[in-house]
Amino acid sequence: ISLTLNTVVSQKKTKGCVSGDCENGYGKKVYKSGSSYKGYFVNGKRDGKGTYDYYKGHKYIGLWSKGKKHGEGTMYSSTSRVMESGTWTYGNFTVKKYYSNGKLKYKGSTLLGEKTENWDFYDNEGNLQESGLFLHDKRHGYWKFNYEGSNRKKAKGYFKKGVKDNGWWWYRYNGTKERHESYSKGKLIGQQSYYSNENKDWGGKVSRGKQTGVWKKYKRNGKLDYTTTYRNGKAISSKRY
């Protein structure tokens, strides 16, 4: 009679919840990326105090809520250098800096040392000067700018990966429209100026920094005055109305 002995070899778990209670309690979980978390869980998400070791070597020690860094904590580099220490708001580090007179200079959020989401910048009298969105440390999204020393609107528009994109509006100090500019990947492709009564003044397309195509000049009352056709920045014809 031949007997076969099946030997079950126990292997240590290396992914998922490797120890403790990773659902509602204290445990350690290793993620597919190679990063790991050791701390408290609520409903299967990081919640409470814990340490997250990133697979690239840096780590975060601090508070969590609903799976994201939230509250007081410190981010360390792979060489144990402090990268960020302070307060997080659902994954983003809150940054605030003040003038010597106690007025807020700027506030915003960072992620792994890079500016992200909304940032506000103020002068030393407390007037908002710039406000807008960052992504990976570059202006990206809607921004607005005010005149120096006041809260009066000066300009508003969009950035994409750090350069102007799409439409931009510029305003006079009294709030009326001064001009509109169109951009594509940081390059000016069109502009339109306005009279103080906000009727159109002069505008057209731009290519490689030069006027191109038909530009239109309006009278202050809104009626078309004349058109000029440009090629490579040079006027080649004109028509008066």
Side-chain angles (χ1 to χ4, degrees), residues 34-226:
S35 301
S36 65
Y37 170 78
K38 187 176 183 180
Y40 290 92
F41 292 84
V42 174
N43 295 327
K45 294 183 178 181
R46 300 182 292 274
D47 204 300
K49 190 173 183 180
T51 298
Y52 193 98
D53 287 285
Y54 293 82
Y55 75 96
K56 290 185 178 180
H58 50 284
K59 71 168 59 179
Y60 169 80
I61 301 174
L63 298 176
W64 299 78
S65 179
K66 298 178 181 179
K68 295 183 178 181
K69 296 186 286 289
H70 188 72
E72 295 296 314
T74 302
M75 181 73 78
Y76 297 90
S77 70
S78 58
T79 58
S80 298
R81 176 180 61 85
V82 174
M83 296 171 64
E84 296 167 334
S85 184
T87 304
W88 267 261
T89 303
Y90 290 110
N92 295 322
F93 182 64
T94 303
V95 178
K96 289 184 179 181
K97 187 170 183 178
Y98 296 84
Y99 289 102
S100 58
N101 64 1
K103 296 282 188 180
L104 182 63
K105 187 174 184 178
Y106 59 75
K107 65 178 180 179
S109 299
T110 63
L111 184 62
L112 299 179
E114 296 181 338
K115 293 184 183 73
T116 188
E117 296 194 358
N118 193 77
W119 278 69
D120 295 324
F121 298 85
Y122 301 84
D123 64 19
N124 59 9
E125 294 298 323
N127 298 302
L128 180 65
Q129 297 296 280
E130 303 176 21
S131 180
L133 299 169
F134 278 94
L135 180 66
H136 299 309
D137 228 22
K138 294 181 179 179
R139 298 177 193 264
H140 188 86
Y142 177 74
W143 275 78
K144 60 182 179 180
F145 297 82
N146 292 334
Y147 278 96
E148 185 176 351
S150 76
N151 286 308
R152 292 176 180 265
K153 178 172 57 180
K154 182 178 182 180
K156 66 179 182 179
Y158 291 85
F159 282 95
K160 187 175 183 179
K161 296 180 179 179
V163 297
K164 289 177 181 176
D165 195 66
N166 213 325
W168 275 78
W169 285 99
W170 297 82
Y171 298 86
R172 298 180 180 84
Y173 194 75
N174 65 4
T176 60
K177 291 185 295 187
E178 183 175 26
R179 71 182 184 275
H180 178 266
E181 297 175 339
S182 296
Y183 290 86
S184 177
K185 298 179 180 179
K187 295 181 180 180
L188 181 66
I189 60 172
Q191 65 183 48
Q192 176 69 59
S193 61
Y194 291 82
Y195 288 103
S196 59
N197 64 2
E198 298 196 326
N199 282 337
K200 288 182 179 179
D201 182 0
W202 175 239
K205 295 181 179 180
V206 177
S207 178
R208 297 179 181 179
K210 297 179 180 180
Q211 291 167 296
T212 187
V214 178
W215 278 59
K216 296 180 179 180
K217 171 68 175 179
Y218 292 86
K219 297 178 180 179
R220 189 177 179 83
N221 62 10
K223 293 183 178 181
L224 183 61
D225 190 2
Y226 62 87

